Amino acid sequence: MSQSEISAASAARSKPFRSRGRVWLFASFVIAALVMVPVAALLWQALQGSAGLWSHLARFVLPHALSQTAILMAGVGVLVAAIGTGAAWLVTAYDFKGKRVLEWALLLPLAVPTYIVAYAYLDLLHPLGPVQSGCARFWVTTARASSACPTSAR
């Protein structure tokens, strides 16, 4: 078999693959367009707005929201840097019992999506959740125990 026959045979075999690739490319564009339809509808709705809404948001809501966001970002950044650097320094500089477990435990927050952590915190710290219920039971029990002192008979 000559080189030209080999290249012709391989081109004939790869032709169906190219056409399938084009089909998948077209299908992915169709799916992306379908996904973008609701987003485009939301953008269109937001740009229509109502009279005076954007000026009210820009004047009264956005400055406060942006300042609160900046404060939150700075606080989280400082805390994460301090806790993360301290924990990393501990597991690299010292050899102690449970070090291998702590090394893996420090990676766990990276493995859990943040929205799942948010839902977990919401369930735990909700007013009807276990943390608030436990605190309420503790304080009610403590208050009853402290008010159980005998009263003088008159």
Side-chain angles (χ1 to χ4, degrees):
M1 235 176 171
S2 70
Q3 184 67 23
S4 62
E5 291 174 345
I6 293 172
S7 63
S10 67
R13 274 186 260 134
S14 68
K15 189 173 184 180
F17 293 116
R18 284 190 207 150
S19 64
R20 277 192 236 153
R22 289 185 182 134
V23 169
W24 281 109
L25 183 64
F26 177 73
S28 65
F29 280 122
V30 169
I31 291 170
L34 289 173
V35 168
M36 290 303 294
V37 168
V39 175
L42 286 173
L43 284 174
W44 178 259
Q45 184 83 20
L47 291 175
Q48 298 302 314
S50 61
L53 177 66
W54 287 110
S55 62
H56 171 76
L57 289 175
R59 182 177 295 161
F60 298 109
V61 177
L62 287 178
H64 180 68
L66 290 175
S67 67
Q68 293 296 310
T69 302
I71 291 169
L72 180 65
M73 286 174 49
V76 167
V78 167
L79 285 175
V80 165
I83 293 170
T85 304
W89 179 69
L90 277 175
V91 296
T92 56
Y94 293 102
D95 193 22
F96 53 89
K97 186 177 178 181
K99 175 183 174 180
R100 305 234 342 133
V101 173
L102 184 60
E103 284 176 348
W104 282 102
L106 289 172
L107 293 174
L108 286 178
L110 299 174
V112 180
T114 53
Y115 69 94
I116 292 177
V117 173
Y119 280 123
Y121 281 146
L122 180 66
D123 286 343
L124 287 174
L125 300 175
H126 191 270
L128 299 177
V131 173
Q132 296 290 337
S133 299
C135 287
R137 267 185 257 127
F138 172 75
W139 291 114
V140 167
T141 306
T142 306
R144 284 185 187 153
S146 66
S147 66
C149 58
T151 59
S152 59
R154 291 183 189 184

